[in-house]
Amino acid sequence: MIALRQVLWKCVSVVSVCALLAPSAAIAKPMSADKVREKIVKRGVGTWVGVEERNGLLLIGRIVAIHQDSFGMQLENYPELTSVMYDDVSKLHFGLSSTGILAIFVGGTAAITALIIATHRGFEASKRKFPSSPTTPLFP
């Protein structure tokens, strides 16, 4: 039984190391041009966006123009318009979603609650215990 457990543990270790070393682009399926255009149009002009292109280039800027086959971005510290083709985009980043914000709020609230409970328990454990009063009088 112990030998089987060790073999399984080694197999899980090898698989997890291979999964960590695999390039993320190979795991994630690329976005289609129609899907990219749909997301860009949904967000609209003036929205900040992070664009990861298929060649590995990462662009961060504001959407300035939306065309049929591309969209224009004004990068952070670059005043000129940069045109990005929909076919070249592999990932889009729009910041935190409402689910992410909710997860941060719930996690923070849970951490604060756990800290308050731990502090209260420590305070109660370190309180001085007074002896109980005697039930019978000392002098009859």
Side-chain angles (χ1 to χ4, degrees):
M1 184 69 172
I2 294 175
L4 179 63
R5 183 183 293 168
Q6 289 176 349
V7 170
L8 288 175
W9 183 252
K10 287 179 183 179
C11 290
V12 168
S13 300
V14 169
V15 168
S16 61
V17 167
C18 290
L20 288 173
L21 294 177
S24 61
I27 295 172
K29 67 178 191 177
M31 296 176 67
S32 67
D34 295 331
K35 183 87 169 172
V36 172
R37 185 178 193 295
E38 177 185 325
K39 286 188 174 191
I40 293 292
V41 168
K42 179 182 175 185
R43 295 295 178 153
V45 175
T47 305
W48 283 87
V49 64
V51 176
E52 189 173 329
E53 292 186 349
R54 294 189 196 280
N55 59 5
L57 186 66
L58 180 64
L59 303 172
I60 299 172
R62 194 169 43 93
I63 300 172
V64 179
I66 300 175
H67 306 291
Q68 190 64 28
D69 59 345
S70 67
F71 63 99
M73 290 178 62
Q74 182 180 8
L75 303 181
E76 268 184 294
N77 296 322
Y78 192 65
E80 295 181 18
L81 183 71
T82 302
S83 181
V84 179
M85 302 296 285
Y86 294 125
D87 292 332
D88 294 339
V89 176
S90 64
K91 288 184 185 176
L92 290 173
H93 306 281
F94 292 107
L96 282 178
S97 65
S98 59
T99 307
I101 292 172
L102 181 65
I104 290 172
F105 177 74
V106 169
T109 304
I112 290 171
T113 304
L115 182 65
I116 289 171
I117 290 171
T119 305
H120 179 68
R121 284 188 177 178
F123 177 73
E124 290 294 324
S126 67
K127 261 189 183 177
R128 207 166 158 176
K129 307 282 191 240
F130 294 109
S132 62
S133 61
T135 58
T136 61
L138 293 176
F139 300 108

PDB file of all heavy atoms in Angstrom, residues 12-24 27:
ATOM      1  N   VAL A  12       1.908  12.179  -9.742  1.00  0.00           N
ATOM      2  CA  VAL A  12       1.247  13.478  -9.578  1.00  0.00           C
ATOM      3  C   VAL A  12       2.277  14.592  -9.592  1.00  0.00           C
ATOM      4  O   VAL A  12       2.054  15.654 -10.188  1.00  0.00           O
ATOM      5  CB  VAL A  12       0.409  13.488  -8.273  1.00  0.00           C
ATOM      6  CG1 VAL A  12      -0.039  14.895  -7.918  1.00  0.00           C
ATOM      7  CG2 VAL A  12      -0.779  12.569  -8.405  1.00  0.00           C
ATOM      8  N   SER A  13       3.428  14.380  -8.979  1.00  0.00           N
ATOM      9  CA  SER A  13       4.481  15.392  -8.961  1.00  0.00           C
ATOM     10  C   SER A  13       4.999  15.675 -10.365  1.00  0.00           C
ATOM     11  O   SER A  13       5.175  16.833 -10.752  1.00  0.00           O
ATOM     12  CB  SER A  13       5.633  14.941  -8.071  1.00  0.00           C
ATOM     13  OG  SER A  13       5.197  14.740  -6.765  1.00  0.00           O
ATOM     14  N   VAL A  14       5.235  14.637 -11.133  1.00  0.00           N
ATOM     15  CA  VAL A  14       5.745  14.812 -12.493  1.00  0.00           C
ATOM     16  C   VAL A  14       4.716  15.536 -13.367  1.00  0.00           C
ATOM     17  O   VAL A  14       5.055  16.449 -14.120  1.00  0.00           O
ATOM     18  CB  VAL A  14       6.140  13.440 -13.105  1.00  0.00           C
ATOM     19  CG1 VAL A  14       6.412  13.562 -14.594  1.00  0.00           C
ATOM     20  CG2 VAL A  14       7.351  12.877 -12.390  1.00  0.00           C
ATOM     21  N   VAL A  15       3.451  15.160 -13.254  1.00  0.00           N
ATOM     22  CA  VAL A  15       2.400  15.799 -14.053  1.00  0.00           C
ATOM     23  C   VAL A  15       2.258  17.268 -13.680  1.00  0.00           C
ATOM     24  O   VAL A  15       2.123  18.136 -14.542  1.00  0.00           O
ATOM     25  CB  VAL A  15       1.063  15.040 -13.891  1.00  0.00           C
ATOM     26  CG1 VAL A  15      -0.087  15.833 -14.467  1.00  0.00           C
ATOM     27  CG2 VAL A  15       1.157  13.681 -14.556  1.00  0.00           C
ATOM     28  N   SER A  16       2.312  17.578 -12.383  1.00  0.00           N
ATOM     29  CA  SER A  16       2.160  18.977 -11.973  1.00  0.00           C
ATOM     30  C   SER A  16       3.355  19.820 -12.404  1.00  0.00           C
ATOM     31  O   SER A  16       3.184  20.976 -12.810  1.00  0.00           O
ATOM     32  CB  SER A  16       1.938  19.081 -10.470  1.00  0.00           C
ATOM     33  OG  SER A  16       3.048  18.552  -9.776  1.00  0.00           O
ATOM     34  N   VAL A  17       4.549  19.284 -12.363  1.00  0.00           N
ATOM     35  CA  VAL A  17       5.727  20.019 -12.838  1.00  0.00           C
ATOM     36  C   VAL A  17       5.620  20.267 -14.334  1.00  0.00           C
ATOM     37  O   VAL A  17       5.904  21.369 -14.819  1.00  0.00           O
ATOM     38  CB  VAL A  17       7.021  19.269 -12.474  1.00  0.00           C
ATOM     39  CG1 VAL A  17       8.214  19.836 -13.219  1.00  0.00           C
ATOM     40  CG2 VAL A  17       7.264  19.330 -10.980  1.00  0.00           C
ATOM     41  N   CYS A  18       5.185  19.268 -15.089  1.00  0.00           N
ATOM     42  CA  CYS A  18       5.022  19.444 -16.535  1.00  0.00           C
ATOM     43  C   CYS A  18       3.946  20.486 -16.845  1.00  0.00           C
ATOM     44  O   CYS A  18       4.101  21.287 -17.773  1.00  0.00           O
ATOM     45  CB  CYS A  18       4.677  18.116 -17.194  1.00  0.00           C
ATOM     46  SG  CYS A  18       6.043  16.939 -17.193  1.00  0.00           S
ATOM     47  N   ALA A  19       2.873  20.499 -16.077  1.00  0.00           N
ATOM     48  CA  ALA A  19       1.819  21.482 -16.294  1.00  0.00           C
ATOM     49  C   ALA A  19       2.315  22.890 -15.986  1.00  0.00           C
ATOM     50  O   ALA A  19       1.937  23.851 -16.660  1.00  0.00           O
ATOM     51  CB  ALA A  19       0.609  21.149 -15.432  1.00  0.00           C
ATOM     52  N   LEU A  20       3.146  23.035 -14.962  1.00  0.00           N
ATOM     53  CA  LEU A  20       3.686  24.356 -14.630  1.00  0.00           C
ATOM     54  C   LEU A  20       4.694  24.843 -15.661  1.00  0.00           C
ATOM     55  O   LEU A  20       4.803  26.047 -15.912  1.00  0.00           O
ATOM     56  CB  LEU A  20       4.334  24.329 -13.246  1.00  0.00           C
ATOM     57  CG  LEU A  20       3.370  24.237 -12.068  1.00  0.00           C
ATOM     58  CD1 LEU A  20       4.146  24.045 -10.775  1.00  0.00           C
ATOM     59  CD2 LEU A  20       2.521  25.483 -11.987  1.00  0.00           C
ATOM     60  N   LEU A  21       5.447  23.925 -16.247  1.00  0.00           N
ATOM     61  CA  LEU A  21       6.464  24.308 -17.220  1.00  0.00           C
ATOM     62  C   LEU A  21       5.912  24.498 -18.631  1.00  0.00           C
ATOM     63  O   LEU A  21       6.580  25.080 -19.476  1.00  0.00           O
ATOM     64  CB  LEU A  21       7.587  23.269 -17.249  1.00  0.00           C
ATOM     65  CG  LEU A  21       8.425  23.178 -15.967  1.00  0.00           C
ATOM     66  CD1 LEU A  21       9.448  22.066 -16.095  1.00  0.00           C
ATOM     67  CD2 LEU A  21       9.093  24.490 -15.665  1.00  0.00           C
ATOM     68  N   ALA A  22       4.724  24.016 -18.899  1.00  0.00           N
ATOM     69  CA  ALA A  22       4.120  24.162 -20.227  1.00  0.00           C
ATOM     70  C   ALA A  22       3.822  25.641 -20.488  1.00  0.00           C
ATOM     71  O   ALA A  22       3.380  26.362 -19.599  1.00  0.00           O
ATOM     72  CB  ALA A  22       2.841  23.347 -20.317  1.00  0.00           C
ATOM     73  N   PRO A  23       4.074  26.104 -21.697  1.00  0.00           N
ATOM     74  CA  PRO A  23       3.782  27.512 -21.999  1.00  0.00           C
ATOM     75  C   PRO A  23       2.288  27.775 -21.951  1.00  0.00           C
ATOM     76  O   PRO A  23       1.478  26.958 -22.376  1.00  0.00           O
ATOM     77  CB  PRO A  23       4.343  27.698 -23.411  1.00  0.00           C
ATOM     78  CG  PRO A  23       4.453  26.334 -23.972  1.00  0.00           C
ATOM     79  CD  PRO A  23       4.653  25.402 -22.822  1.00  0.00           C
ATOM     80  N   SER A  24       1.931  28.926 -21.406  1.00  0.00           N
ATOM     81  CA  SER A  24       0.515  29.232 -21.231  1.00  0.00           C
ATOM     82  C   SER A  24      -0.189  29.446 -22.567  1.00  0.00           C
ATOM     83  O   SER A  24      -1.387  29.239 -22.679  1.00  0.00           O
ATOM     84  CB  SER A  24       0.349  30.465 -20.353  1.00  0.00           C
ATOM     85  OG  SER A  24       0.957  31.575 -20.962  1.00  0.00           O
ATOM     86  N   ILE A  27      -1.715  26.238 -23.771  1.00  0.00           N
ATOM     87  CA  ILE A  27      -2.880  25.757 -23.034  1.00  0.00           C
ATOM     88  C   ILE A  27      -4.125  26.556 -23.397  1.00  0.00           C
ATOM     89  O   ILE A  27      -5.190  26.005 -23.619  1.00  0.00           O
ATOM     90  CB  ILE A  27      -2.613  25.827 -21.519  1.00  0.00           C
ATOM     91  CG1 ILE A  27      -1.491  24.866 -21.150  1.00  0.00           C
ATOM     92  CG2 ILE A  27      -3.861  25.510 -20.733  1.00  0.00           C
ATOM     93  CD1 ILE A  27      -1.023  24.992 -19.727  1.00  0.00           C
TER      94      ILE A  27
END
